[in-house]
């Protein structure tokens, strides 16, 4: 039998990088020696330009004062770039030889600069039935959006044409009380009145946010966001031009004729997928803030309006946050030990259980060792046959390191209760993700705005991950958080009744299982 070749990888950035990580004082010593390396012409230090930090004040976005000269944690990662057609081995030999002569807690990593994409890219509205048949009703049939969800590899011929994410008239009640949140017990009276409401916990959303101006100088009028759900917005200088690959990754594969992929059909929708991409971050934030109202939400724009970012951008953002700079005279993080990163993005995988993006893996591993939590979307690549989770969600699914295994939640999406949505990759934790209502939080400053004052009904594991982030935030805000939060979330989930089901998180079970001492909020007054 002829072996089926692996999927083609998402195209690479043209350059590679190596990183030095460790205490800043030691890196400064190494930096002096690196002048010799850069004189070789092979290596250049990637400039670490400070981001713009903005907050909503008096009805408009204002630039905040940032002081990152004296971070609370003296840990840094510095990235050096070298071209792909020139060897860097000599440079790395020099660095390692120097470090052997001068013992220091400094690590050297070499890796390629990987391109990450929004996991909804490529199939924004999978053949999931019809999650929004009656647009006037914000959530008419959320309990049964996909009648054939139980068949993990359907052979249904040609499914009916599906719309792109649907627009619904805005209703705060519909957003907060939607049936999918009812299903996970988030709307129960006990949960609504619980003192474990996320206070004192910071949720950091690394995503795309709707900024349509140049990076320098920052123009507040080009930020199309009300700021309803994001307390602080951080804008890094990123590659604004790189778009998503339009190459059909499966066109050269020899697919088994007995398990055909569902045929995708053109969609007729008044709103385009590309129109929604810039608002992906606010929609993720709307879930976090709705389910954990007292949590502090920080949005970090590292994905451009085309839905693309790079591993070095992810590294830069996570490192900057954990260094805890001072913003307008106060530390960015309420408590450096209570920070959750939500990443609704992923890297296309070609191998089952191997790490492809070393830069991202080492960054997340180091952050997890320092106490950070991660909720990461498993990805939407399955199309009826369950695929392995995409990176970086896979770091919490497979035992790569103890830190990532314990502190990274790989979050799959469900259609019917406890049943993986047909598009969802695998995961040991799951949350509703089909036909969920989201608020893009548009300021509607653009002429002929495609969204305006509307809610969006969409689906994807992007929107399952922040539900877990909100639950973890509420648990961390309790007086005595569970010792093993990942185990606790699993134990209090709605457990599967059949072999092909997955645990679906439950706010009601998780918060009700807290002891009275735990349930009392431990956040400072």
């Amino acid at each position: 039998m002829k072996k089926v070749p692996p999927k083609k990888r998402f195209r690479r950035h043209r350059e590679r990088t190596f990183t030095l990580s460790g205490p800043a004082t030691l890196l400064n010593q190494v930096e002096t020696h690196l002048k010799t390396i850069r004189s070789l012409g092979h290596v250049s230090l990637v400039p670490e330009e400070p981001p713009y930090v903005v907050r909503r004040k008096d009805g408009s976005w204002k630039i905040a004062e940032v002081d990152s000269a004296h971070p609370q944690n003296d840990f840094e990662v510095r990235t050096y770039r070298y071209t792909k057609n020139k060897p860097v081995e000599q440079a790395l030999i020099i660095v390692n030889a120097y470090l052997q002569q001068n013992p220091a807690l400094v690590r050297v990593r070499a890796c390629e600069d990987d391109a990450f994409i929004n996991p909804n890219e490529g199939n924004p509205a999978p053949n999931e039935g019809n999650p929004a048949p009656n647009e006037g009703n914000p959530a008419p049939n959320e309990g049964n959006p996909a009648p054939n969800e139980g068949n993990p590899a359907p052979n249904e011929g040609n499914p009916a044409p599906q719309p792109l994410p649907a627009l619904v008239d805005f209703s705060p009640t519909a957003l907060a009380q939607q049936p999918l949140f009812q299903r996970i017990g988030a709307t129960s009276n006990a949960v609504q009145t619980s003192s474990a409401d996320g206070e004192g916990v910071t949720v950091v959303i690394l995503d795309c946010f709707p900024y349509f101006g140049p990076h320098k100088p920052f123009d507040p009028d080009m930020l199309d966001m009300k700021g309803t759900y994001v307390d602080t917005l951080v804008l890094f200088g990123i590659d604004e031009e790189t778009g998503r690959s339009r190459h059909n990754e499966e066109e050269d594969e020899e697919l088994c004729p007995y398990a055909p992929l569902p045929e995708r059909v053109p969609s007729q929708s008044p709103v385009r997928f590309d129109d929604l991409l810039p608002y992906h971050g606010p929609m993720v934030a709307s879930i976090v803030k709705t389910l954990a109202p007292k949590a502090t939400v920080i949005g970090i724009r590292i994905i451009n309006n085309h839905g693309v970012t790079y591993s070095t951008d992810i590294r830069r953002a996570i490192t900057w946050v954990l260094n805890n700079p001072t913003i307008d005279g106060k530390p960015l993080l309420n408590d450096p030990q209570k920070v959750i990163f939500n990443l609704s993005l992923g890297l296309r995988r070609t191998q089952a259980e191997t790490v492809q993006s070393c830069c991202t893996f080492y960054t997340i591993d180091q952050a997890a060792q320092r106490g950070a939590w991660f909720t990461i979307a498993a990805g939407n690549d399955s199309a009826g046959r369950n695929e392995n989770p995409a990176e970086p969600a896979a770091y919490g699914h497979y035992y790569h390191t103890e830190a990532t295994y314990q502190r990274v939640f790989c979050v799959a999406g469900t259609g019917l209760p406890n049943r993986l949505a047909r598009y969802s990759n695998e995961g040991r934790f799951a949350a509703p993700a089909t036909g969920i209502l989201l608020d893009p939080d548009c300021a509607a400053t653009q002429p002929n705005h495609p969204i305006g004052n509307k809610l969006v009904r969409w689906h994807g594991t992007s929107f399952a991950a922040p539900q877990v982030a909100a639950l973890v935030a509420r648990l961390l805000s309790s007086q005595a958080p569970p010792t093993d939060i990942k185990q606790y979330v699993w134990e209090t989930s709605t457990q599967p009744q059949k072999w092909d089901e997955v645990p679906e998180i439950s706010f009601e079970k998780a918060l009700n299982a807290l002891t009275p001492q735990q349930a009392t909020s431990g956040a400072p007054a």
Side-chain angles (χ1 to χ4, degrees):
M1 181 176 178
K2 186 178 179 180
K3 185 178 180 181
V4 177
K7 290 182 179 180
K8 292 185 178 181
R9 300 185 65 178
F10 193 88
R11 68 181 182 83
R12 290 287 192 181
H13 197 274
R14 291 183 178 179
E15 296 174 312
R16 298 185 180 186
T17 64
F18 75 87
T19 63
L20 293 177
S21 58
T25 53
L26 297 176
L27 291 186
N28 288 336
Q29 299 175 17
V30 178
E31 180 74 35
T32 302
H33 194 72
L34 282 175
K35 292 179 180 178
T36 303
I37 296 176
R38 291 202 296 278
S39 68
L40 299 175
H42 296 170
V43 183
S44 61
L45 176 65
V46 178
E48 293 287 344
E49 295 182 352
Y52 285 104
V53 179
V54 297
R55 288 178 167 175
R56 193 79 171 175
K57 299 177 182 178
D58 300 324
S60 61
W61 291 98
K62 305 290 185 182
I63 297 178
E65 183 178 343
V66 181
D67 180 11
S68 56
H70 303 287
Q72 290 187 1
N73 198 311
D74 194 33
F75 177 90
E76 288 190 17
V77 179
R78 298 182 186 176
T79 301
Y80 302 83
R81 181 167 291 154
Y82 59 97
T83 56
K84 199 169 185 178
N85 60 348
K86 292 184 179 179
V88 76
E89 285 75 13
Q90 182 179 2
L92 293 178
I93 290 173
I94 294 175
V95 173
N96 284 311
Y98 172 76
L99 294 178
Q100 289 176 3
Q101 297 171 4
N102 301 271
L105 298 175
V106 177
R107 292 184 178 183
V108 181
R109 306 291 188 193
C111 60
E112 295 187 36
D113 201 2
D114 301 280
F116 283 75
I117 59 173
N118 179 289
N120 289 308
E121 185 271 348
N123 191 7
N127 300 303
E128 201 54 47
N130 188 355
N134 301 303
E135 299 304 347
N137 185 341
N141 297 305
E142 298 295 58
N144 188 14
N148 295 307
E149 196 71 71
N151 185 349
N155 293 301
E156 297 175 311
N158 187 3
Q162 298 307 311
L164 279 169
L167 298 184
V168 179
D169 289 336
F170 184 84
S171 169
T173 302
L175 180 69
Q177 299 294 326
Q178 57 184 297
L180 294 185
F181 288 173
Q182 295 176 21
R183 194 168 90 197
I184 58 175
T187 62
S188 71
N189 185 64
V191 171
Q192 294 296 311
T193 58
S194 173
S195 59
D197 51 15
E199 187 171 0
V201 180
T202 304
V203 179
V204 182
I205 299 173
L206 275 60
D207 216 297
C208 185
F209 291 86
Y211 180 65
F212 299 96
H215 175 59
K216 288 186 176 182
F218 170 72
D219 184 354
D221 292 335
M222 293 291 101
L223 183 58
D224 187 34
M225 204 168 88
K226 295 177 183 177
T228 305
Y229 306 105
V230 174
D231 300 290
T232 301
L233 184 62
V234 182
L235 298 97
F236 280 95
I238 57 178
D239 178 0
E240 300 287 0
E241 301 300 324
T242 303
R244 291 170 287 133
S245 172
R246 301 297 181 181
H247 176 71
N248 183 358
E249 295 180 342
E250 297 164 355
E251 66 182 10
D252 296 326
E253 291 191 25
E254 183 178 320
L255 299 175
C256 176
Y258 296 100
L261 294 174
E263 182 180 346
R264 296 174 185 171
V265 293
S267 173
Q268 301 296 325
S269 175
V271 59
R272 300 181 305 157
F273 176 66
D274 288 347
D275 291 332
L276 290 172
L277 264 179
Y279 304 90
H280 192 266
M283 289 189 280
V284 169
S286 73
I287 294 177
V288 175
K289 205 67 169 180
T290 300
L291 298 179
K294 292 296 182 66
T296 298
V297 175
I298 297 175
I300 299 191
R301 186 177 185 269
I302 60 164
I303 301 178
N304 66 20
N305 289 344
H306 301 292
V308 178
T309 189
Y310 290 101
S311 52
T312 47
D313 293 325
I314 296 173
R315 178 210 60 77
R316 178 174 51 169
I318 292 174
T319 303
W320 184 85
V321 169
L322 293 182
N323 279 339
N324 201 12
T326 300
I327 309 296
D328 285 343
K330 296 182 179 180
L332 176 70
L333 302 177
N334 297 313
D335 184 342
Q337 296 302 310
K338 295 182 178 181
V339 57
I340 305 163
F341 291 91
N342 186 90
L343 282 72
S344 291
L345 50 80
L347 175 70
R348 300 284 186 177
R349 295 176 66 84
T350 58
Q351 300 296 327
E353 302 169 10
T354 57
V355 171
Q356 294 178 20
S357 180
C358 296
C359 179
T360 306
F361 173 71
Y362 290 128
T363 300
I364 292 179
D365 179 46
Q366 290 168 348
Q369 290 183 45
R370 296 169 64 188
W373 295 90
F374 290 84
T375 55
I376 310 180
N380 304 329
D381 307 309
S382 291
R385 324 180 241 187
N386 295 347
E387 296 278 352
N388 293 309
E391 290 186 58
Y395 308 155
H397 190 77
Y398 301 115
Y399 201 109
H400 294 310
T401 68
E402 181 70 24
T404 57
Y405 199 55
Q406 292 292 331
R407 289 185 170 264
V408 175
F409 285 83
C410 170
V411 186
T414 55
L416 294 174
N418 291 103
R419 303 195 73 91
L420 278 176
R422 210 174 296 144
Y423 54 82
S424 176
N425 295 351
E426 292 183 339
R428 294 191 176 92
F429 299 86
T434 297
I436 191 168
L437 284 177
L438 307 156
D439 184 4
D441 200 34
C442 298
T445 58
Q446 310 297 316
N448 302 318
H449 200 285
I451 303 173
N453 191 25
K454 298 281 186 180
L455 293 179
V456 177
R457 181 183 283 110
W458 205 351
H459 44 248
T461 58
S462 282
F463 311 120
Q467 295 175 57
V468 177
L471 178 56
V472 174
R474 297 190 72 144
L475 295 174
L476 287 175
S477 68
S478 62
Q479 181 67 37
T483 303
D484 188 339
I485 287 184
K486 197 169 181 180
Q487 176 70 17
Y488 184 84
V489 171
W490 184 84
E491 289 176 348
T492 58
S493 65
T494 301
Q495 291 299 315
Q497 301 299 313
K498 297 182 179 179
W499 64 269
D500 60 345
E501 295 182 335
V502 292
E504 193 173 70
I505 63 167
S506 171
F507 277 71
E508 187 170 24
K509 293 179 181 179
L511 296 183
N512 286 346
L514 293 173
T515 64
Q517 292 77 17
Q518 288 177 313
T520 302
S521 177

